[in-house]
Amino acid sequence: MFTGIVEELGEIVACEQLTDAARLTIRGKLVTSDAGHGDSIAVNGVCLTVVDVVDDVFTVDVMGETLSRSSIGGLGPGAQVNLERAAAVNSRLGGHIVQGHVDGTGTILTRTPAENWEVVRISLPDAIAKYVVEKGSITVNGISLTVSGLGRAETPAADGTRDWFEVSLIPTTLSLTDLGTAAAGTVMNLEVDVIAKYVERLHQRG
């Protein structure tokens, strides 16, 4: 489990394409400080298992399903990624409950800068739109964020979606995560609040 509070921006060092998987080598000085084989690290919101650690570099294997359901497969050497170690049971929950299981991807549609923050609008796939509410929580590339706006466009976006949501980013988020530099058209990993999915399931079985 994670909290969606990104600890550092890491860098993809190498990407090895396998038959139905990929092996990523990632540099992250902070997250490797106490990491070992079998530990979980969220990479752009995807929970991955550490295979090996050498100095400040760790290696993870990414299976085919994860590659197809997230933006991980599109990353190459030099790409910056948001990194977070699994939450400790005795730590504060600074964000919200994040599983590291991507529900879908959305595309950055617009960025609107203000004096002290920036509003980013992201497309929202039909399959998960029902789980997203204004002032609720959503995870974008592993970042726990509050939904500041919701809407539906008259015409579909380039990725075929009509629904969108907005998040308002403070300077800290802009400077410490990849959302600070991600341009319009960038594909982001989305994870909705797991509580919403459990409530729906209970209602269906009730």
Side-chain angles (χ1 to χ4, degrees):
M1 188 188 82
F2 305 90
T3 68
I5 304 300
V6 173
E7 295 187 276
E8 68 175 324
L9 268 174
E11 180 185 356
I12 302 291
V13 176
C15 179
E16 180 184 0
Q17 297 297 329
L18 307 175
T19 303
D20 59 349
R23 174 163 290 186
L24 299 180
T25 302
I26 304 168
R27 178 173 290 109
K29 184 176 182 180
L30 177 59
V31 299
T32 55
S33 62
D34 61 354
H37 176 79
D39 287 345
S40 295
I41 295 178
V43 179
N44 274 5
V46 180
C47 177
L48 298 174
T49 301
V50 175
V51 175
D52 192 21
V53 180
V54 178
D55 297 327
D56 62 350
V57 172
F58 67 99
T59 302
V60 293
D61 287 330
V62 188
M63 60 183 177
E65 180 182 0
T66 303
L67 294 172
S68 66
R69 293 176 64 95
S70 74
S71 64
I72 291 289
L75 299 176
Q80 289 189 316
V81 288
N82 299 320
L83 302 176
E84 181 192 355
R85 291 169 291 185
V89 294
N90 63 342
S91 64
R92 292 184 175 89
L93 184 61
H96 72 282
I97 297 173
V98 176
Q99 295 181 295
H101 303 159
V102 173
D103 294 304
T105 58
T107 302
I108 294 180
L109 301 175
T110 60
R111 302 186 68 110
T112 306
E115 184 177 356
N116 296 306
W117 68 84
E118 188 164 351
V119 177
V120 178
R121 180 176 293 185
I122 302 172
S123 66
L124 186 58
D126 292 342
I128 61 175
K130 60 185 175 181
Y131 301 115
V132 181
V133 297
E134 192 168 349
K135 305 306 179 186
S137 296
I138 191 167
T139 308
V140 179
N141 263 20
I143 310 163
S144 173
L145 297 168
T146 300
V147 177
S148 58
L150 285 170
R152 184 172 175 83
E154 293 184 3
T155 57
D159 60 6
T161 61
R162 291 178 180 269
D163 290 296
W164 52 262
F165 69 96
E166 290 179 336
V167 289
S168 299
L169 308 180
I170 61 174
T172 298
T173 305
L174 292 170
S175 63
L176 297 182
T177 74
D178 68 342
L179 266 177
T181 57
T186 303
V187 178
M188 311 299 284
N189 296 322
L190 306 178
E191 180 184 334
V192 299
D193 192 340
V194 66
I195 296 175
K197 292 187 285 186
Y198 278 124
V199 169
E200 180 190 46
R201 181 62 172 167
L202 289 169
H203 179 72
Q204 290 174 342
R205 294 183 64 85

